Every structure is written in structure tokens, then in C-alpha cells.
């Protein structure tokens, strides 16, 4: 029997640079927790927040990396 896995893709809403990474692969996070902080091209600091509680998947970005709008930063697997 297969198990249904629910996940939420955490994406960058705007283009910018990853300024902070506040989570690790395998870590359990809560809904509303800040996972990343990015700085937009206009210099605005933007928190990237988890919309669900669950376990963080593999991080797809590194500190200081430039990202584009819509880029997947990680996935949170819901319980």
C-alpha cells in the first residue's frame, strides 16, 4: 500500500539574494516559522515563512546565492 505524502514547496516570491537560512534538512518546523530571509534587488528584506508544520526537505539554495522569483528553496513535508 502506498503512503500519501503531502508537501509544501517553499518558493522565493521575488528575485533577490539569500541573506539568512534558518532551517536545516530534516529539521521539524512550525507553521509561520521563518525559514529564509532574502534581500530583494531593491534592498528590501523579505522573510520566507513556512505555511505548514512539518519536516524540512533538502535545501536547494546556499547562503549568498541569488534566486529568481518562483524558485523552489526547499520543501516542507507535512505530518
Amino acid at each position: 500500500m502506498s503512503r500519501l505524502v503531502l508537501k509544501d514547496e517553499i518558493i522565493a516570491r521575488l528575485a533577490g539574494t539569500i541573506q539568512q537560512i534558518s532551517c536545516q534538512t530534516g529539521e521539524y518546523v512550525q507553521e509561520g516559522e521563518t525559514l529564509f530571509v532574502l534581500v530583494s534587488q531593491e534592498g528590501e528584506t523579505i522573510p520566507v515563512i513556512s505555511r505548514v508544520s512539518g519536516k524540512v526537505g533538502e535545501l536547494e539554495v546556499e547562503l549568498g546565492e541569488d534566486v529568481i522569483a518562483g524558485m523552489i528553496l526547499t520543501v516542507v513535508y507535512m505530518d
Side-chain angles (χ1 to χ4, degrees):
M1 178 188 232
S2 64
R3 180 175 172 234
L4 179 63
V5 177
L6 299 176
K7 64 182 181 179
D8 185 41
E9 294 178 333
I10 307 301
I11 62 168
R13 296 185 323 234
L14 300 170
T17 303
I18 300 294
Q19 181 182 53
Q20 179 180 326
I21 299 175
S22 303
C23 61
Q24 298 177 22
T25 300
E27 178 182 6
Y28 188 84
V29 296
Q30 297 290 326
E31 178 182 352
E33 189 173 333
T34 298
L35 304 181
F36 301 90
V37 175
L38 67 92
V39 177
S40 72
Q41 295 172 338
E42 292 78 29
E44 180 182 2
T45 301
I46 302 165
V48 180
I49 297 173
S50 181
R51 297 178 295 201
V52 299
S53 296
K55 189 182 285 189
V56 177
E58 186 172 340
L59 302 182
E60 302 293 337
V61 293
E62 296 179 358
L63 192 63
E65 185 173 342
D66 292 331
V67 298
I68 60 172
M71 184 173 175
I72 297 173
L73 308 178
T74 193
V75 172
V76 175
Y77 294 95
M78 295 176 267
D79 296 334

